[in-house]
Amino acid sequence: MTTVGIIGAGHIGSALAKGFAKNGYDVVIANSRGPETLADLVAEVGDKARAATAQDAAEAGDIVVVTVPLKAIDAVPAAPLAGKTVLDTNNYYFERDGHIAALDEKKTTTSQMLQEHLPESTVVKAFNHIPAADILTDGAPAGSENRRALATSSDSDEAVALVTRIYDEFGFDTVNVGPLSESWRVERDQPAYVVRQNADELAQNLARAAR
Ligand SMILES: NC(=O)c1ccc[n+]([C@@H]2O[C@H](COP(=O)([O-])OP(=O)(O)OC[C@H]3O[C@@H](n4cnc5c(N)ncnc54)[C@H](OP(=O)(O)O)[C@@H]3O)[C@@H](O)[C@H]2O)c1
């Protein structure tokens, strides 16, 4: 059985915990305040979930999701994530995260920042441009007409293939943006950001992105 570690238990982390558990994964989830504060969420997710520290979630996960405010990524434990694929849901909101010059100056992307913090992990963008509330409600079986599509991005083809499988299990098609250096195409304020789109529309919106 595959275990998913989830670091961050807010809007996205809790929706993903429910979705992964429903799809048959074991879930180990953490926030900043400690596992005892996650009792209600774990009870809601059910038997397949347990609460942990971020270190424990990173160690326990075969796959790990980092879904915290961008300003907190430096606190994500790097050593236990070495050799693992890390799903990055994170976005940059200077109003929340403070100004980050390399992002303001378009010299990097949010995913490249996480990859830099986790040099021995394989970072892959996932679930960053869908509102948390839609994750569990907007999926549809493969082949459904106008199925919603989500973008991914990684320097690893295997990681893209993994996210493609996970998206399909959640009920979404995938469009691959390419390497992390191109992931700005699905960041905040770009045409593909948080709008509902099928695969063709998403591909068009990614192509229309401007930096
Ligand atoms: N909300 C959305 O619809 C949405 C959609 C796509 C992407 N995103 C992006 O995904 C990320 C998470 O968004 P969100 O809306 O889920 O945020 P959120 O509701 O504010 O939740 C953030 C979570 O991160 C935890 N956290 C903060 N610092 C941590 C640390 N050092 N170690 C472990 N956990 C830590 C918080 O724990 P405590 O509560 O204990 O501090 C909280 O559980 C953000 O980058 C956001 O921009 C959000």
Side-chain angles (χ1 to χ4, degrees):
M1 184 50 59
T2 304
T3 297
V4 182
I6 303 181
I7 299 176
H11 295 94
I12 293 284
S14 52
L16 290 180
K18 291 170 194 165
F20 275 115
K22 183 166 148 265
N23 293 337
Y25 296 79
D26 290 323
V27 171
V28 181
I29 188 162
N31 63 5
S32 76
R33 286 165 292 152
E36 63 286 355
T37 64
L38 291 170
D40 289 349
L41 175 64
V42 165
E44 204 184 331
V45 178
D47 288 351
K48 296 191 76 62
R50 71 175 171 89
T53 62
Q55 174 79 20
D56 189 11
E59 283 171 8
D62 302 303
I63 307 164
V64 176
V65 182
V66 172
T67 184
V68 299
L70 192 66
K71 64 182 174 190
I73 60 171
D74 285 345
V76 172
L81 295 175
K84 297 187 182 182
T85 299
V86 174
L87 275 58
D88 163 37
T89 79
N90 305 300
N91 294 309
Y92 173 43
Y93 282 85
F94 64 84
E95 304 89 335
R96 174 194 66 193
D97 300 314
H99 276 283
I100 299 171
L103 290 174
D104 291 339
E105 293 163 17
K106 325 273 187 219
K107 289 183 176 154
T108 190
T109 61
T110 53
S111 288
Q112 285 174 297
M113 285 178 57
L114 185 62
Q115 182 67 79
E116 220 168 280
H117 176 62
L118 304 173
E120 293 179 69
S121 307
T122 301
V123 170
V124 57
K125 195 102 213 158
F127 294 106
N128 82 298
H129 69 115
I130 177 169
D134 291 358
I135 289 176
L136 298 174
T137 57
D138 212 15
S144 301
E145 197 181 333
N146 204 29
R147 192 189 201 204
R148 188 169 185 162
L150 298 177
T152 187
S153 166
S154 178
D155 297 338
S156 157
D157 291 343
E158 289 79 17
V160 166
L162 172 70
V163 167
T164 300
R165 280 199 302 280
I166 290 169
Y167 277 169
D168 189 52
E169 290 165 357
F170 276 77
F172 304 106
D173 284 339
T174 299
V175 176
N176 180 10
V177 183
L180 295 181
S181 58
E182 286 294 301
S183 61
W184 59 269
R185 291 179 183 278
V186 74
E187 287 184 350
R188 178 187 181 186
D189 294 337
Q190 295 294 349
Y193 192 67
V194 301
V195 295
R196 192 197 187 286
Q197 56 219 310
N198 63 30
D200 287 343
E201 293 163 341
L202 175 52
Q204 285 164 21
N205 282 334
L206 292 169
R208 286 199 301 123
R211 215 176 186 186

